[in-house]
Amino acid sequence: ITLLLEQKLADLLVLAEGEILREYLYDNSMANKVQLAREFLLLARRKPKYAQIRMLDTEGNEIIRINNSFGSPEVIPTSELQNKSHRYYFQQTMDLPQGDVYISPMDLNVEYGEIVQPLEPTIRFGSGPSRRSGALFHERIRSVNLSSRMILPRTNIELDC
């Protein structure tokens, strides 16, 4: 399990400290946003255990989100992006010192205020601003977040909520 966590943390830091993210921070043009989404998409293709890869701004708004349905990742249209400021993992990431990483407890994935069915046990990895990303990261982007499916058999249990 330690090796798996180390791999997830390494992936997160590659995204959070990457050149493409820094380019987007200095010029948040559509061309740079598309390039950044492609980088997230490539990681999702190579790592199918990531249910989602997202970037959140300082208000908790998703700027980019990749959903990965077991090997079929897709970029989510801007009109379907959500605000995650009310979620505990965003709030915990907001409190991180520069360059630190947050690992959530395992819980169930929630989208649009509803628990996703079938159930998706999830651990989230979030990164605060890194020294390499600098002040613009802190002003514009607060978190690069990976939601990782746990190594548990997928369940067919559904909740009546």
Side-chain angles (χ1 to χ4, degrees):
I1 291 180
T2 301
L3 180 59
L4 289 173
L5 289 177
E6 287 174 3
Q7 291 170 350
K8 306 294 185 219
L9 294 175
D11 290 342
L12 174 66
L13 294 175
V14 164
L15 292 177
E17 296 176 359
E19 186 64 31
I20 294 173
L21 175 61
R22 278 192 279 161
E23 287 178 24
Y24 175 78
L25 293 175
Y26 288 104
D27 174 12
N28 61 349
S29 67
M30 183 55 71
N32 283 343
K33 183 177 180 179
V34 167
Q35 190 70 9
L36 189 57
R38 286 181 181 157
E39 182 172 302
F40 285 18
L41 195 60
L42 177 62
L43 181 63
R45 281 191 188 116
R46 298 285 183 223
K47 307 274 182 140
K49 290 280 185 191
Y50 291 132
Q52 294 179 328
I53 301 173
R54 65 167 53 107
M55 184 170 62
L56 304 170
D57 69 12
T58 57
E59 303 299 317
N61 298 306
E62 293 176 326
I63 295 171
I64 296 171
R65 184 174 86 228
I66 308 298
N67 283 356
N68 193 0
S69 298
F70 295 97
S72 298
E74 64 177 331
V75 178
I76 300 305
T78 302
S79 63
E80 295 177 31
L81 297 178
Q82 303 172 68
N83 181 285
K84 296 292 186 174
S85 62
H86 62 287
R87 299 288 287 149
Y88 73 90
Y89 59 84
F90 175 75
Q91 294 166 4
Q92 294 289 325
T93 303
M94 285 293 290
D95 293 335
L96 286 177
Q98 185 177 33
D100 280 7
V101 172
Y102 172 73
I103 303 173
S104 76
M106 184 172 60
D107 68 3
L108 298 176
N109 193 26
V110 173
E111 294 299 335
Y112 306 103
E114 302 286 328
I115 295 174
V116 173
Q117 298 288 340
L119 301 178
E120 291 182 3
T122 301
I123 292 181
R124 292 168 188 84
F125 300 81
S127 175
S130 72
R131 285 180 175 73
R132 291 185 63 203
S133 298
L136 279 176
F137 188 98
H138 190 68
E139 292 171 14
R140 291 188 191 165
I141 308 299
R142 187 53 200 171
S143 174
V144 176
N145 181 269
L146 303 173
S147 296
S148 184
R149 291 184 184 91
M150 287 307 300
I151 306 170
L152 297 173
R154 189 166 177 132
T155 179
N156 289 325
I157 298 171
E158 296 199 11
L159 296 178
D160 292 325
C161 297

